[in-house]
């Protein structure tokens, strides 16, 4: 009986993959260096196996340092709390000179310190080194590394063939998960968004609030006053400006094609729709701002891919995991940093909603009935909870009072306007102040309290400097108060903002005489 290092090398790789659930990470072209990985209890175990005999210790040292350098690069994106490296050599015999110091564990400097243990299996040490390796990996069995001399070539080819077969099976299995269906619906969704953007431009511009409201943007006053809940869905396909459209469509293309390939057409559509709906409801519940865009649904795709990572953790981290997490974190940081122009509530709601809806629909080939029931319950709780909070929470409670003020103004009950508007301003934040300030200022002007009206509209101009109606109303109030110079400034600004409005032009001419 003799020891054949090549046969032992391939047999060890095959054993770790087939029996102990290690996964192939990478190998060089001739398969003489192979990396395997396994994650257990938050610990990533990486095994580097090399089939090579080193004649001298300095040659072995250089290869160990090369391995350390490779590990620094490979572990940059690993988020596990602990990483262990096992560097295993299979040689016919050990180096001729003294090399025992190289067996000692070393610490690799990376994002966090990484311990690396070196093992050298040769004809004299293979049994003891193999047992030490298995003990450190916490594997209870062992693998025979002995081959018969006369049929060692046959055994070697058999082990090589077995490894190639395992690698092909793993590659095919990975491809099957990521290519279940060719993307189709993602192109339909992009096409709908592009057509609606063109319609926005033709009707007056994608940044025109009136156009956005007319086409179905999320607008809380109409959702509350006229139960136009369909706006939660239609707003997903409208965009505010060409940059908004471009960034969302690029994100939808890259994330959407991947998600549709993984989940299939039907599941992808449900995830996209439910993620967008839950994101829209979160925006309704926590923000009174006019909003539109597919970003809530796009964050839903992030959530769905995170769910995919819980079902296929090894495949997730070996392929898309690290990149996806980094991109998601960047997008969240941007969302919070620019929350004054970005609907961060829709993003967070979409992310959670996408995870819940992915839990609901599940992944192809995975029954997981309990998980799917949990996803259904979670989705319903999110939808119902956001609707209830949206109706009763501070943002829309103030808006309710503002809508009452609007109704009272149309009826000519100016004291009731002032009462409801004041209640709205006391209950709401500055985001909810536009409507009550608008009508309270008009009510004050009707009751002759012009200074109070001017104060409300001065505040309103600061909140909505691009609103032509606000400038026009302030110009009228200032005119009534005898402040014609200031009145002309605001009339001119209203006419600049809305050049087609003849009423604004007439006021400018009247004040200029």
């Amino acid at each position: 009986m003799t020891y054949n290092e090549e046969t032992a090398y391939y047999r060890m790789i095959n054993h770790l993959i087939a029996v102990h659930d290690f996964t192939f990470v990478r190998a060089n072209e001739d398969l003489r260096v192979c990396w395997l990985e396994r994650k257990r209890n938050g610990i990533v175990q990486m095994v580097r196996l090399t089939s090579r005999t080193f004649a001298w210790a300095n040659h072995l040292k250089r290869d160990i340092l090369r391995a350390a350098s490779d590990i620094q690069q490979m572990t940059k994106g690993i988020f596990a709390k602990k990483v262990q490296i096992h560097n295993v050599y299979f040689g016919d015999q050990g180096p001729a000179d003294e090399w025992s110091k190289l067996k000692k564990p070393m610490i690799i400097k990376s994002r966090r310190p990484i311990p690396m243990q070196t093992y050298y299996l040769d004809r004299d040490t293979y049994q003891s080194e193999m047992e030490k390796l298995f003990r450190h990996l916490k594997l209870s069995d062992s693998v025979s590394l002995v081959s018969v001399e006369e049929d060692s070539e046959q055994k070697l080819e058999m082990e090589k063939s077995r490894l190639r077969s395992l690698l092909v099976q793993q590659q095919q299995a990975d491809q099957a998960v990521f290519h279940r269906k060719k993307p189709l619906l993602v192109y339909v969704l992009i096409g709908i968004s592009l057509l609606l953007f063109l319609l926005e431009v033709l009707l007056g511009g994608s940044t025109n609030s009136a156009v956005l409201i007319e086409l179905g943007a999320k607008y809380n006053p109409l959702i509350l006053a006229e139960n136009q809940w369909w706006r939660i869905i239609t707003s997903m396909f409208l965009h505010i400006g060409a940059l908004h459209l471009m960034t969302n469509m690029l994100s939808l293309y890259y994330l959407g094609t991947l998600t549709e390939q993984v989940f299939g057409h039907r599941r992808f559509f449900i995830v996209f729709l439910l993620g967008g709906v839950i994101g829209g409801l979160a925006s309704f519940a926590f923000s009174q701002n006019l909003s539109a865009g597919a970003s809530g649904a796009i964050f839903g795709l992030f959530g769905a891919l995170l769910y995919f990572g819980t079902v296929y953790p090894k495949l997730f981290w070996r392929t898309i995991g690290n990149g996806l997490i980094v991109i998601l974190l960047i997008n969240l940081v941007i969302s919070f940093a620019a929350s004054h122009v970005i609907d961060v509530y829709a993003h967070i709601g979409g992310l959670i909603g996408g995870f819940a809806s992915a839990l609901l629909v599940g992944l192809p080939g995975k029954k997981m009935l309990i998980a799917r029931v949990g996803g259904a319950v979670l989705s319903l709780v999110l939808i119902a909870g956001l609707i209830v909070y949206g109706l009763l929470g501070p943002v829309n409670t103030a808006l309710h009072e503002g809508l009452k003020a609007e109704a009272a103004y149309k009826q000519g009950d100016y004291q009731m306007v002032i009462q409801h508007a004041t209640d709205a301003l006391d209950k709401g934040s500055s985001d909810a102040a536009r409507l009550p300030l608008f009508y309270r200022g008009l009510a004050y002007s009707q009751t002759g309290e012009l200074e109070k009206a001017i104060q409300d509209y001065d505040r309103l101009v600061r909140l909505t400097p691009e609103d032509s109606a606000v400038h026009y109303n302030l110009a009228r109030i200032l005119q009534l108060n005898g402040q014609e110079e200031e009145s002309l400034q605001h009339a001119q600004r209203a006419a600049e903002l809305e050049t087609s409005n003849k009423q604004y032009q007439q006021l400018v001419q009247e004040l200029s005489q």
Side-chain angles (χ1 to χ4, degrees):
M1 303 285 283
T2 61
Y3 165 74
N4 182 288
E5 69 274 10
E6 281 194 89
T7 304
Y9 167 76
Y10 287 108
R11 188 172 294 174
M12 176 69 81
I13 295 171
N14 291 329
H15 184 78
L16 292 177
I17 293 175
V19 178
H20 294 293
D21 209 22
F22 277 82
T23 54
F24 175 78
V25 178
R26 73 179 191 184
N28 61 1
E29 291 184 4
D30 60 3
L31 293 180
R32 300 299 291 272
V33 179
C34 184
W35 292 83
L36 305 180
E37 179 183 288
R38 183 178 75 161
K39 188 174 182 180
R40 284 288 185 275
N41 301 320
I43 299 174
V44 173
Q45 296 175 324
M46 298 188 72
V47 182
R48 177 184 185 259
L49 301 105
T50 303
S51 176
R52 179 182 173 188
T53 297
F54 291 89
W56 303 101
N58 62 332
H59 296 165
L60 177 60
K61 182 179 180 180
R62 280 201 295 269
D63 193 78
I64 291 173
L65 293 176
R66 185 182 302 114
S69 177
D70 289 343
I71 289 160
Q72 286 179 322
Q73 296 298 319
M74 293 172 67
T75 57
K76 280 183 177 180
I78 294 178
F79 288 87
K81 294 181 180 179
K82 192 172 182 181
V83 179
Q84 298 174 346
I85 308 297
H86 303 274
N87 188 25
V88 187
Y89 294 97
F90 292 81
D92 180 60
Q93 58 186 12
D97 52 343
E98 175 58 35
W99 62 281
S100 58
K101 291 182 180 180
L102 299 178
K103 288 186 177 181
K104 294 180 179 180
M106 66 180 293
I107 301 297
I108 299 171
K109 294 180 181 180
S110 186
R111 194 162 51 91
R112 58 174 66 90
I114 300 173
M116 182 173 77
Q117 175 70 55
T118 296
Y119 312 81
Y120 198 102
L121 285 70
D122 58 29
R123 63 175 64 250
D124 298 321
T125 64
Y126 76 86
Q127 190 66 39
S128 60
E129 289 290 279
M130 179 197 68
E131 290 175 357
K132 182 170 71 171
L133 171 64
F134 273 50
R135 186 170 62 252
H136 289 170
L137 291 173
K138 297 183 179 180
L139 306 179
S140 58
D141 64 344
S142 62
V143 56
S144 173
L145 303 180
V146 179
S147 61
V148 181
E149 186 174 11
E150 55 267 27
D151 67 351
S152 60
E153 287 297 324
Q154 180 182 355
K155 285 184 176 291
L156 177 59
E157 289 305 316
M158 181 180 70
E159 294 296 341
K160 283 184 177 181
S161 176
R162 187 180 173 201
L163 176 58
R164 293 190 186 98
S165 177
L166 284 172
L167 296 182
V168 168
Q169 289 176 17
Q170 181 174 310
Q171 186 179 24
Q172 290 175 342
D174 292 352
Q175 289 177 348
V177 171
F178 282 110
H179 298 89
R180 297 186 191 277
K181 296 284 185 179
K182 290 185 177 180
L184 172 64
L185 289 177
V186 65
Y187 301 118
V188 175
L189 296 171
I190 290 173
I192 292 171
S193 297
L194 293 175
L195 287 173
L196 285 174
F197 186 80
L198 178 61
L199 184 58
E200 290 175 54
V201 173
L202 293 175
L203 291 177
S206 63
T207 59
N208 187 313
S209 297
V211 171
L212 290 166
I213 293 171
E214 182 182 353
L215 290 178
K218 189 224 79 175
Y219 186 55
N220 286 19
L222 289 178
I223 294 174
L224 289 170
E226 300 184 21
N227 288 316
Q228 294 183 2
W229 293 97
W230 48 266
R231 290 180 175 274
I232 299 298
I233 295 176
T234 55
S235 62
M236 293 161 53
F237 301 96
L238 300 172
H239 290 84
I240 306 172
L243 180 61
H244 187 211
L245 174 75
M246 182 181 68
T247 54
N248 272 359
M249 291 305 98
L250 284 173
S251 299
L252 178 55
Y253 173 76
Y254 287 110
L255 283 174
T257 51
L258 175 60
T259 309
E260 189 171 359
Q261 286 175 318
V262 170
F263 283 83
H265 306 316
R266 179 176 57 85
R267 290 179 174 88
F268 163 74
F269 182 71
I270 294 172
V271 166
F272 180 86
L273 189 64
L274 271 181
V277 165
I278 292 172
L281 289 174
S283 175
F284 164 75
F286 295 101
S287 173
Q288 198 187 83
N289 293 336
L290 174 72
S291 66
S295 52
I298 290 168
F299 269 81
L301 302 182
F302 273 117
L305 292 173
L306 290 179
Y307 170 72
F308 164 77
T310 67
V311 179
Y312 293 96
K314 292 178 183 177
L315 179 59
F316 177 77
W317 290 110
R318 193 169 69 249
T319 53
I320 64 171
N322 293 322
L324 184 78
I325 294 294
V326 169
I327 294 171
L328 174 59
L329 291 175
I330 290 172
N331 276 276
L332 287 174
V333 169
I334 293 172
S335 298
F336 281 103
S339 58
H340 58 291
V341 293
I342 292 177
D343 195 342
V344 67
Y345 301 109
H347 292 185
I348 300 299
L351 180 65
I352 298 171
F355 188 91
S357 58
L359 191 63
L360 164 64
V361 300
L363 283 159
K366 300 286 185 179
K367 292 183 178 180
M368 304 177 69
L369 181 60
I370 295 176
R372 296 185 69 174
V373 170
V377 171
L378 180 57
S379 298
L380 288 173
V381 168
L382 285 169
I383 291 171
L386 288 170
I387 289 174
V388 171
Y389 185 81
L391 293 173
L392 303 179
V395 168
N396 291 318
T397 297
L399 181 55
H400 272 299
E401 294 297 329
L403 291 171
K404 291 177 183 178
E406 181 182 16
Y409 184 83
K410 291 176 181 178
Q411 294 172 1
D413 190 345
Y414 302 124
Q415 290 302 325
M416 192 59 70
V417 172
I418 294 169
Q419 179 181 328
H420 286 306
T422 302
D423 287 344
L425 292 168
D426 290 340
K427 293 176 181 177
S429 64
S430 59
D431 291 338
R434 182 193 179 283
L435 193 64
L437 284 173
F438 188 91
Y439 285 103
R440 192 175 72 171
L442 290 179
Y444 278 140
S445 70
Q446 293 293 334
T447 59
E449 299 173 272
L450 297 179
E451 290 298 331
K452 289 183 178 180
I454 292 170
Q455 288 176 7
D456 277 355
Y457 267 85
D458 278 338
R459 181 179 168 188
L460 197 53
V461 164
R462 290 193 295 273
L463 288 174
T464 57
E466 304 300 312
D467 192 322
S468 59
V470 170
H471 284 282
Y472 175 78
N473 286 348
L474 179 55
R476 281 296 190 189
I477 295 168
L478 289 167
Q479 184 185 29
L480 289 172
N481 203 42
Q483 298 172 250
E484 293 195 357
E485 184 176 343
E486 293 89 342
S487 175
L488 177 60
Q489 292 175 0
H490 286 285
Q492 289 173 334
R493 182 56 181 154
E496 289 173 4
L497 290 169
E498 195 172 339
T499 56
S500 61
N501 192 307
K502 294 181 180 180
Q503 191 177 21
Y504 297 172
Q505 301 293 340
Q506 289 173 358
L507 180 59
V508 170
Q509 292 176 2
E510 180 183 336
L511 291 168
S512 300
Q513 292 177 355

